[in-house]
Amino acid sequence: MLLKVTLKFNIYCVIILFCGCTAGEKPQTEQEIQDIKDSVSEARIDSAYSAIKSQCDTLMVYQVPKMVDSFLKDAALLQPFFDSTRLYSDADKKVEKVIRQLQADCDSSLQKETYRRALLRPKAKPVRRKK
């Protein structure tokens, strides 16, 4: 009697497991797959935006005064500040394009601020020498 119950129980368990495992999911449509990819891209872009904005704000506070000094000494000394940044590359071309644009906007605002501060800096007046 116990053997029959055990066999029946095992058979039912195997059938339930087989049905449960083979029920599977509905195949996703192309639109659903694209929506998932877009949401991942948006999350990556948002993350990159906040990181670039934070970095740009930090550079604006600490790097721009150095850049102004370099610019006033020699305008060619300013170029290494912008040549040192490496280009961002990514498998997702949409993300790459947006992040490169964000970096270019940051560089542009740094240059504008540098030139603005350099123009606003008071010029040294010639000193009269005593005879």
Side-chain angles (χ1 to χ4, degrees), residues 36-104:
I36 292 170
K37 287 181 181 178
D38 286 345
S39 65
V40 169
S41 295
E42 288 172 6
R44 291 179 64 204
I45 289 170
D46 291 341
S47 175
Y49 174 77
S50 62
I52 290 171
K53 183 168 176 22
S54 173
Q55 177 191 13
C56 195
D57 291 342
T58 303
L59 290 174
M60 195 70 75
V61 171
Y62 297 106
Q63 196 70 23
V64 168
K66 294 177 186 176
M67 291 166 56
V68 170
D69 292 338
S70 296
F71 177 71
L72 291 175
K73 290 177 186 173
D74 184 12
L77 294 175
L78 192 62
Q79 196 59 34
F81 288 108
F82 297 106
D83 287 342
S84 63
T85 58
R86 67 189 197 300
L87 288 177
Y88 179 81
S89 61
D90 195 317
D92 188 355
K93 294 302 176 191
K94 179 171 60 173
V95 173
E96 179 180 341
K97 181 179 177 183
V98 170
I99 291 176
R100 283 188 179 187
Q101 183 62 43
L102 289 172
Q103 288 174 337

